[in-house]
């Protein structure tokens, strides 16, 4: 078996040959590509430009055709509803083909968009794959987002159909989705032709005549649809990510490059092959769920676990171990936040003793920085490799990881290890010049990025360039800062923009500020992300009230917390807003958010030379240092 260095060198010396070989070896093509990379419109690089395929066929039908239709494809485990069901590849293919026929019956065709607003239920996976089957473009919206956020995405994607559920379940709480869907459709300028609603017994919703169709009725009346061949460069999905202006960015994922990259990553990075089981404890609304709950495991012919529950409290802190033991999980992938939650409830790991975890070989963690304490605790508890790895919604699959399927490297706590084949990672200063080993700078990726990464933003090439490619010529700006040590290990230290990481979810502080600023009593505001031992980061808001406002500060603070919850959703986790006399600023009027964040995190931040009024910053220090209850 070739070493990591040999594989990485092959990907950099001859990237087209490397990825063309990967494409031909693991993917079924209707029209096999003869070229790997088209850079004729650089920086809009496209992979496998003359290839045609269907991603759903590669995820389902080809495994059935190969005689493995009886193998488990999808395991649904829901402790919150006490439901467990296993779908074979043959059963899942039939469900997907039938719902694809239902979408066709509603007028959905190749290139049309379908917004999916669902909890962690098998129908969400079925809907995603059904879109892929007929060449439609899905856009999954996390079920925790409020009506306003859903409406923004409906307007941008302009879907022909919205697929939703009547409710979701958060722990012991039933969250009605149908009223949020109805409100979002009313708020949006674009009107979908139809809404398909999965009626859940925990909270049925009232259907709107002439627009809404019950999932069961749609399935009963549908004829199964065949796979539609599409170009490798056609979009598979749009996934919205928080932008620094509060306006979401529609990350586009193409079909061919994504399929090739994910298929390659399953064995090279996660060491999961056909017939083995991967449990990714995330949500289908996030990129991790798209890539490693739905598409990658099925492309590899593996079994994937869809878990509707929490790491703790549904009902206990042993559920991850139960799932791993019950379904023979080889690789578990989740966020560090989940393990911090488990550690808080069960610091001695007592729950692991009730289950046979001998089949669990790897724990992968991503979505936020893995702190050394959590890394050591998890490794000592499980006695298996704990693999930190780093990637983004935009990249679709890992940038930096320890590729255990190729060659496992010695681990350094705090580092996700080395760049994966295809990723040319650099650390540069403000002028774009490389920094010495150990020195922090901006982490960038040399263009072209490998297959699977975003080719552009939905209907916004200009914003794609301005957001990611304009800072450093020839490089993709990750928005993260860090350094590379003398041994080549990459250390990712945190965001360099206003997007914070709350329990693995990227959220825009700028978007929260827009909500706070909309309150009639607020003159100006700032939201910063501060370190949190459980969630990695949490947002804290600071507002200055307009002169003459007679409302009690405590009342305004409570209203602002609720306003963010209503406009963005509970996922924002903004629970602490403080009314202050003034915000510290530079002489040019910029709020000193970085300085505020450092003080709130307990650092002795020097007073910037550009500060306008030192007394304002000094007055704010006690508020920043106060730990929210």
């Amino acid at each position: 078996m070739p070493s990591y260095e040999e594989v990485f060198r092959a990907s950099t010396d001859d990237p087209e040959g490397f990825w063309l070989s990967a494409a031909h070896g693991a993917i079924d093509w209707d029209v096999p590509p003869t070229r790997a990379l088209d850079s004729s419109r650089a920086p809009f690089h496209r992979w496998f430009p003359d290839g045609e395929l269907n991603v759903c066929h590669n995820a389902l039908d080809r495994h059935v055709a190969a005689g493995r239709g009886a193998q488990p494809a999808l395991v649904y485990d829901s402790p919150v509803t006490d439901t467990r069901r296993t779908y074979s590849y043959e059963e899942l293919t039939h469900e997907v083909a039938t719902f694809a026929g239902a979408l066709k019956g509603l007028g959905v065709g190749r290139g049309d968009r379908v917004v999916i607003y669902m909890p962690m239920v098998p129908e969400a996976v079925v809907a995603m794959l059904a879109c892929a089957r007929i060449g439609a473009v899905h856009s999954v919206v996390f079920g925790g987002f409020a009506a306003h956020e859903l409406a923004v995405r409906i307007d941008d994607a302009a879907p022909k159909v919205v697929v939703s559920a009547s409710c979701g379940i958060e722990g012991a709480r039933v969250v009605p989705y149908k009223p949020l869907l109805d409100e979002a459709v009313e708020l949006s300028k674009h009107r979908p032709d139809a809404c398909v609603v999965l009626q859940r017994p925990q909270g049925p919703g009232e259907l709107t005549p002439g627009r809404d169709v019950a999932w069961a009725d749609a399935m009963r009346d549908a004829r199964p649809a065949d796979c539609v061949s599409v170009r490798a460069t056609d979009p598979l999905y749009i996934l919205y990510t928080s932008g620094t202006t509060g306006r979401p960015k529609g990350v586009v994922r193409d079909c061919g490059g994504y399929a090739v990259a994910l298929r390659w990553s399953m064995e090279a990075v996660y060491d999961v092959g056909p017939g083995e089981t991967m449990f990714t404890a995330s949500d289908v609304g996030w990129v991790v769920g798209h890539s490693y709950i739905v598409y990658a495991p099925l492309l590899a012919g593996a079994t994937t676990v869809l878990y509707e529950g929490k790491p703790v409290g549904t009902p206990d802190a042993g559920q991850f171990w139960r799932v791993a033991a019950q379904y023979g999980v080889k690789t578990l992938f989740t966020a560090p936040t989940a393990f911090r939650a488990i550690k808080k409830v069960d610091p001695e790991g007592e729950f692991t003793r009730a289950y046979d975890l001998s089949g669990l070989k790897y724990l992968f963690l991503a979505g936020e920085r893995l702190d050394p304490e959590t890394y050591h605790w998890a490794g000592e508890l499980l006695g298996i490799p704990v693999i930190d790895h780093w990637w983004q919604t935009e990249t679709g699959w890992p940038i930096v990881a320890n590729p255990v399927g190729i060659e496992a490297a010695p681990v350094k706590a705090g580092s996700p290890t080395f760049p994966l084949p295809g990723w040319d990672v650099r650390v540069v200063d403000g002028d774009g010049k490389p920094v010495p080993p150990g020195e922090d700078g901006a982490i960038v990726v040399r263009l072209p990025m490998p297959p699977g990464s975003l080719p552009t933003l939905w209907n916004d090439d200009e914003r794609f360039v301005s957001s990611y490619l304009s800072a450093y010529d020839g490089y993709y700006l990750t928005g993260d800062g860090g350094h590379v040590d003398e041994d080549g290990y990459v250390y990712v230290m945190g965001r360099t923009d206003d997007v914070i990481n709350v329990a693995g979810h990227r959220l825009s502080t700028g978007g929260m500020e827009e909500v706070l600023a909309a309150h009639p009593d607020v003159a100006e505001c700032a939201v910063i992300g501060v370190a949190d031992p459980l969630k990695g980061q949490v947002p804290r808001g600071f507002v200055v009230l307009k002169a003459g406002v007679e409302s009690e500060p405590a009342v305004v603070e409570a209203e602002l917390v609720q306003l963010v919850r209503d406009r963005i959703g509970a996922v924002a986790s903004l629970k602490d807003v403080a009314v202050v006399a003034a915000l510290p600023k530079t002489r040019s009027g910029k709020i000193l958010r970085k300085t505020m964040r450092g003080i709130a995190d307990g650092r002795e931040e020097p007073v910037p030379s550009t500060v306008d009024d030192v007394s304002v910053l000094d007055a704010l220090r006690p508020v920043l240092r106060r730990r929210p209850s």
Side-chain angles (χ1 to χ4, degrees), residues 299-503:
L299 287 166
T303 302
T304 185
V305 178
L306 182 79
Y307 175 74
E308 187 183 26
K310 301 292 185 183
V312 299
T314 57
D316 55 45
Q319 291 305 294
F320 280 11
W321 322 134
R322 176 188 63 78
V323 169
Q326 187 168 344
Y327 304 114
V329 171
K330 179 181 182 180
T331 296
L332 169 58
F333 177 7
T334 190
T337 293
F339 267 73
R340 287 193 286 265
I342 293 170
K343 178 175 178 286
K344 182 178 180 180
V345 175
D346 185 23
E348 303 303 318
E350 297 288 341
F351 280 105
T352 59
R353 299 172 188 173
Y355 303 102
D356 178 7
L357 299 177
S358 59
L360 186 61
K361 302 302 182 185
Y362 306 105
L363 169 63
F364 280 82
L365 298 172
E368 58 192 306
R369 187 169 183 268
L370 174 59
D371 58 286
E373 182 181 352
T374 301
Y375 162 75
H376 289 299
W377 182 82
E380 292 167 6
L381 175 67
L382 298 174
I384 60 175
V386 176
I387 313 296
D388 182 16
H389 60 321
W390 169 64
W391 50 298
Q392 302 175 327
T393 300
E394 291 85 350
T395 69
W397 62 288
I399 307 170
V400 178
N402 197 339
V404 296
I406 300 174
E407 180 186 23
V411 170
K412 292 187 180 184
S415 170
T417 315
F418 300 127
L420 288 173
W423 295 98
D424 188 349
V425 176
R426 313 283 180 92
V427 180
V428 299
D429 63 17
D431 296 323
K433 298 177 181 178
V435 300
E439 184 175 315
D440 280 345
I443 302 177
V444 297
V445 176
R446 188 179 181 185
L447 300 177
M449 293 194 290
S453 57
L454 81 168
T456 188
L457 296 174
W458 180 250
N459 287 337
D460 206 341
D461 287 352
E462 183 178 339
R463 193 179 185 200
F464 170 63
V465 172
S466 64
S467 296
Y468 300 111
L469 309 182
S470 61
Y472 304 101
D473 186 38
Y475 292 93
Y476 163 81
L477 180 68
T478 68
D480 282 303
H483 61 270
V484 177
D485 72 8
E486 301 258 358
D487 298 320
Y489 283 73
V490 178
Y491 290 77
V492 183
M493 306 309 294
R495 298 295 296 174
T496 58
D497 56 23
D498 79 345
V499 178
I500 63 173
N501 212 316
V502 181

Side-chain angles (χ1 to χ4, degrees), residues 534-591:
L534 180 62
K535 295 187 176 183
Q537 284 182 297
V538 293
R540 290 182 63 187
F542 303 87
V543 300
V544 177
L545 300 184
K546 295 176 180 177
V549 168
E550 297 180 355
S551 303
E552 288 293 326
V555 173
V556 177
E557 291 166 0
E559 290 175 352
L560 291 169
V561 169
Q562 186 60 46
L563 190 61
V564 170
R565 186 182 184 92
D566 291 342
R567 292 291 302 275
I568 297 178
V571 69
S573 294
L574 181 64
K575 299 177 181 178
D576 183 76
V577 176
V579 172
V580 296
L583 293 171
K585 298 178 183 178
T586 64
R587 282 184 285 274
S588 62
K590 293 182 180 178
I591 297 173

Side-chain angles (χ1 to χ4, degrees), residues 337 340 368 493 495 497-503 505 507 509 512 526-542 572-577 592-603 605 620-621 623-629:
T337 293
R340 287 193 286 265
E368 58 192 306
M493 306 309 294
R495 298 295 296 174
D497 56 23
D498 79 345
V499 178
I500 63 173
N501 212 316
V502 181
H505 305 329
L507 298 167
T509 56
M512 295 182 213
V527 175
I528 60 172
V530 300
D532 180 81
L534 180 62
K535 295 187 176 183
Q537 284 182 297
V538 293
R540 290 182 63 187
F542 303 87
S573 294
L574 181 64
K575 299 177 181 178
D576 183 76
V577 176
L592 297 169
R593 291 177 178 83
K594 182 179 179 181
T595 303
M596 292 169 62
R597 184 168 61 245
I599 296 171
D601 284 344
R603 296 192 294 273
E605 286 286 326
L620 192 60
R621 286 180 189 272
V623 183
L624 289 164
R625 288 176 174 152
R626 173 179 60 82
R627 306 313 299 170
S629 57

Side-chain angles (χ1 to χ4, degrees), residues 38-45:
D38 176 8
S39 296
S40 62
R41 291 186 61 243
F44 301 98
H45 304 278

Side-chain angles (χ1 to χ4, degrees), residues 38-360:
D38 176 8
S39 296
S40 62
R41 291 186 61 243
F44 301 98
H45 304 278
R46 307 309 299 267
W47 288 93
F48 314 114
D50 58 347
E52 295 183 11
L53 77 165
N54 183 273
V55 177
C56 180
H57 165 83
N58 277 277
L60 297 177
D61 301 70
R62 72 187 179 111
H63 303 306
V64 177
R68 295 173 45 237
Q71 179 199 308
L74 175 69
V75 171
Y76 170 53
D77 189 291
S78 173
V80 296
T81 62
D82 194 26
T83 304
R84 292 167 185 84
R85 181 177 177 185
T86 298
Y87 295 78
S88 69
Y89 269 96
E90 189 170 21
E91 290 169 332
L92 187 57
T93 302
H94 176 72
E95 290 288 307
V96 168
T98 303
F99 191 65
L103 290 175
K104 285 185 67 176
L106 293 170
V108 177
R110 177 175 172 174
D112 289 330
R113 275 78 61 206
V114 175
V115 164
I116 300 171
Y117 183 65
M118 300 189 83
M120 289 287 285
V121 291
E123 290 82 359
V125 178
V126 168
M128 294 168 71
L129 292 166
C131 291
R133 191 173 192 85
I134 58 175
V137 182
H138 65 70
S139 183
V140 181
V141 178
F142 177 68
F145 277 150
H148 170 76
E149 294 297 312
L150 177 58
V152 169
R153 287 152 174 80
I154 289 174
D155 275 336
D156 197 68
K160 183 158 284 190
V161 170
V162 176
V163 182
S164 186
S166 59
C167 69
I169 302 170
E170 292 291 327
R173 185 169 63 97
V174 174
V175 180
Y177 281 14
K178 187 56 169 56
L180 295 172
L181 171 62
D182 291 340
E183 183 182 350
V185 173
E186 286 301 312
L187 288 172
S188 61
K189 298 181 180 66
H190 174 81
R191 290 288 190 268
D193 292 350
C195 296
V196 180
V197 180
L198 174 70
Q199 294 282 26
R200 303 191 76 188
Q202 295 81 11
E206 184 176 346
L207 300 185
T208 301
R211 186 196 72 189
D212 294 347
V213 181
W215 177 285
D217 294 339
M219 292 290 279
R220 184 181 60 247
D221 299 336
R223 297 179 60 183
D226 293 330
C227 293
V228 173
S229 185
V230 300
R231 293 185 295 269
T233 54
D234 282 350
L236 175 66
Y237 67 75
I238 306 164
L239 182 57
Y240 289 93
T241 182
S242 295
T244 58
T245 65
R247 174 187 163 209
K249 294 179 287 190
V251 170
V252 173
R253 196 79 64 211
D254 65 5
C255 291
Y258 189 55
V260 171
L262 290 192
R263 179 67 184 86
W264 183 87
S265 74
M266 280 297 289
E267 293 184 8
V269 179
Y270 299 99
D271 193 25
V272 175
E276 296 179 321
T277 302
M278 184 171 189
F279 171 27
T280 300
S282 181
D283 192 286
V284 293
W286 310 120
V287 69
V288 170
H290 280 60
S291 292
Y292 294 104
I293 294 177
V294 182
Y295 285 108
L298 298 177
L299 287 166
T303 302
T304 185
V305 178
L306 182 79
Y307 175 74
E308 187 183 26
K310 301 292 185 183
V312 299
T314 57
D316 55 45
Q319 291 305 294
F320 280 11
W321 322 134
R322 176 188 63 78
V323 169
Q326 187 168 344
Y327 304 114
V329 171
K330 179 181 182 180
T331 296
L332 169 58
F333 177 7
T334 190
T337 293
F339 267 73
R340 287 193 286 265
I342 293 170
K343 178 175 178 286
K344 182 178 180 180
V345 175
D346 185 23
E348 303 303 318
E350 297 288 341
F351 280 105
T352 59
R353 299 172 188 173
Y355 303 102
D356 178 7
L357 299 177
S358 59
L360 186 61

